[in-house]
Amino acid sequence: MSEPAGPDSVRIGTAEREDAIRVLGEHFAAGRLGVAEYEQRVGLAVDAVNRGDLRPLFADLPAPYPPFMAPPVWPAPPPPVTPHYPAYAPVRPYPSAPQQWGEYSDKSKVVAGLLQILVPFGAGRFYTGHTGIAVAQLLTCGGFGLWCLIDGIILLVNGGTDGYGRRLRD
């Protein structure tokens, strides 16, 4: 039984010979081959029968090579698949439950900040669910307006949290 043929024993056709001669011409034009050596290699390329006959003609030359000598291009492996778990929203029985990253309130920081500034009696804090601070601002007339003004600016700039510890939406 005969051994399996390797890639160098594959017979070539006119297209492969012409590709090899064209690439040898590029190396000649770049000055890598002298006239006599170029003519000798072109003669060997014309007489070549299989890929193994052409491969030694390029063994001492840098790229470019004929297309059939290029290594096969394999597609990149796909990225690893990570399991996708559905979003989990824990039940918050108490307003002081710790905040989970990525959770947002249904309340807006813009509305809360404007309510704090325009109605300086804790209206923005009532809106967000912070009733303790809201009652304190209501009883002190918003800290004579100054506390509510500063609190409203902070809500507009940095946002804040609602009564359940979730970040206010933009």
Side-chain angles (χ1 to χ4, degrees):
M1 183 169 211
S2 65
E3 293 184 26
D8 282 347
S9 64
V10 174
R11 293 185 66 92
I12 60 170
T14 305
E16 287 89 355
R17 287 185 198 93
E18 289 175 354
D19 283 341
I21 293 169
R22 179 185 49 80
V23 174
L24 285 170
E26 291 175 17
H27 288 294
F28 175 69
R32 294 186 190 102
L33 296 174
V35 176
E37 190 176 9
Y38 170 71
E39 289 176 356
Q40 177 190 12
R41 290 186 189 208
V42 167
L44 291 171
V46 170
D47 295 336
V49 175
N50 54 35
R51 290 182 179 181
D53 296 337
L54 291 178
R55 196 167 302 277
L57 302 179
F58 297 94
D60 61 339
L61 295 173
Y65 299 110
F68 71 87
M69 287 182 60
V73 178
W74 300 102
V81 177
T82 56
H84 176 71
Y85 298 105
Y88 173 72
V91 177
R92 297 189 182 276
Y94 304 106
S96 61
Q99 174 186 351
Q100 299 290 321
W101 65 273
E103 280 191 48
Y104 284 96
S105 173
D106 56 341
K107 310 289 185 189
S108 168
K109 73 177 186 179
V110 174
V111 172
L114 289 177
L115 280 172
Q116 274 300 99
I117 293 170
L118 300 176
V119 185
F121 300 107
R125 288 302 179 172
F126 277 117
Y127 170 74
T128 61
H130 294 105
T131 54
I133 295 174
V135 169
Q137 288 179 352
L138 179 65
L139 294 177
T140 62
C141 295
F144 302 106
L146 189 60
W147 183 9
C148 284
L149 177 69
I150 293 170
D151 198 24
I153 292 170
I154 290 172
L155 283 171
L156 285 172
V157 174
N158 293 335
T161 59
D162 67 1
Y164 294 101
R166 299 175 299 187
R167 299 280 309 155
L168 297 176
R169 293 196 182 280
D170 289 335

